[in-house]
């Protein structure tokens, strides 16, 4: 199962808001056949009620996602914005986090999603790996780093 | 082991809550608690509280606190990310030790 491909990785993304970042990732995910055309709107709506900003190791990240009905096959996109983007914090929407990395998720079966979520969370706890993702000069580097999520 | 009933709340009531529930079960298990975890979405909290006994609510998505008046409600995002399991554990142990 190929969760990440180079087209899903957006480095130095010129996006200013959470919505723009989600749209950017959603377009890529849609072009690559991971999600349906209404994925972006569904993610944006969900984010308003159940935000996904998280304080990771040394960096803030966000994992916008939505229900399986908008997903064709599982995948993870990566958006590294030029400047950090504000997301509300998961569990505490009143708190805002300036997120350096955004990982929009396209998830299908709850079982698979649980496994992937656990892998992602340990990925986000590794400040060294996050640093390498954040400072990556090309998509290939991030692909390599994220390979472990696929096993 | 002391039996406790915990409600794990996340946006969809499936994925994050399952992960959080599993970790809480392990963490509290080490402290002598046998946890029964129910995974729910925020909209299901009121129903779950009304239909069965709940000792503690762990949430990664916000819900209306009035839906579970009088039941301790702890933010479990630190458990989900693994970045701060200690804070949750301390608070949970504090809450559970007062149980009859």
């Amino acid at each position: 199962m190929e969760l990440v491909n180079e087209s899903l990785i957006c480095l130095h993304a010129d996006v200013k808001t959470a919505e723009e970042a989600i749209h950017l990732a959603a377009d890529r995910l849609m072009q690559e056949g991971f999600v349906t055309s209404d994925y972006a709107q569904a993610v944006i709506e969900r984010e308003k009620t159940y935000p996904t900003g998280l304080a990771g190791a040394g960096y803030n990240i966000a994992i916008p996602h939505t229900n399986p009905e908008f997903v064709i096959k599982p995948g993870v996109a990566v958006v590294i914005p030029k400047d950090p983007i504000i997301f509300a914090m998961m569990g505490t929407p009143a708190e805002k986090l300036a997120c350096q990395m955004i990982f929009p998720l396209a998830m299908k079966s709850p079982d698979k999603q649980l496994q992937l979520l656990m892998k992602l969370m340990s990925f986000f706890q590794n400040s060294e790996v996050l640093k390498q993702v954040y400072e990556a000069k090309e998509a290939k580097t991030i692909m390599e780093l994220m390979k472990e999520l696929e096993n | 082991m002391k039996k406790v009933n915990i409600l794990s709340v996340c946006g969809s009531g499936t994925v994050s809550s399952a992960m959080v529930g599993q970790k809480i079960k392990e963490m509290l298990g080490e402290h002598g608690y046998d946890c029964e975890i129910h995974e729910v979405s925020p909209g299901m909290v009121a129903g779950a509280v009304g239909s069965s006994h709940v000792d503690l609510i762990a949430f990664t998505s916000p819900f209306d606190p009035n839906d579970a008046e009088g039941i301790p409600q702890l933010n479990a995002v630190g458990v989900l990310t693994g970045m701060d399991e200690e804070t949750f554990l301390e608070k949970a142990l504090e809450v559970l030790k007062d149980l009859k």
Side-chain angles (χ1 to χ4, degrees), chain A residues 76-92:
Chain A
V76 180
V78 182
V79 178
I80 318 277
K82 279 183 182 159
D83 299 306
I85 285 180
I86 302 293
F87 275 79
M89 193 172 173
M90 190 185 287
T92 323

Side-chain angles (χ1 to χ4, degrees), chain A residues 14-30:
Chain A
D14 193 11
V15 288
K16 301 265 182 284
T17 64
E19 285 199 15
E20 284 178 23
I22 290 167
H23 272 296
L24 173 65
D27 285 350
R28 302 287 184 90
L29 284 164
M30 195 173 73

Side-chain angles (χ1 to χ4, degrees), chain B residues 16-75:
Chain B
S16 299
S17 54
M19 179 168 163
V20 166
Q22 197 174 318
K23 282 178 139 182
I24 289 174
K25 207 174 159 71
E26 283 170 22
M27 279 160 46
L28 290 176
E30 287 170 16
H31 290 267
Y33 292 99
D34 178 15
C35 301
E36 170 106 13
I37 313 270
H38 293 283
E39 293 139 17
V40 295
S41 64
M44 291 157 71
V45 171
V49 167
S51 65
S52 65
H53 174 75
V54 175
D55 296 307
L56 173 68
I57 298 176
F59 65 93
T60 60
S61 284
F63 62 97
D64 186 346
N66 298 322
D67 284 352
E69 237 186 312
I71 300 171
Q73 305 166 7
L74 300 181
N75 187 318

Side-chain angles (χ1 to χ4, degrees), chain A residues 38-109:
Chain A
D38 37 11
Y39 171 87
Q41 204 46 47
V43 173
I44 288 167
E45 281 307 314
R46 189 187 188 280
E47 197 65 33
K48 286 178 191 163
T49 326
Y50 307 130
T52 62
L54 294 169
Y59 297 90
N60 294 324
I61 54 144
I63 51 165
H65 57 274
T66 183
N67 299 337
E69 68 229 56
F70 303 101
V71 175
I72 298 161
K73 58 179 183 181
V76 180
V78 182
V79 178
I80 318 277
K82 279 183 182 159
D83 299 306
I85 285 180
I86 302 293
F87 275 79
M89 193 172 173
M90 190 185 287
T92 323
E95 281 190 45
K96 310 295 175 200
L97 292 173
C99 298
Q100 292 98 336
M101 287 169 266
I102 298 123
F103 299 86
L105 310 178
M107 291 304 128
K108 202 68 194 152
S109 73

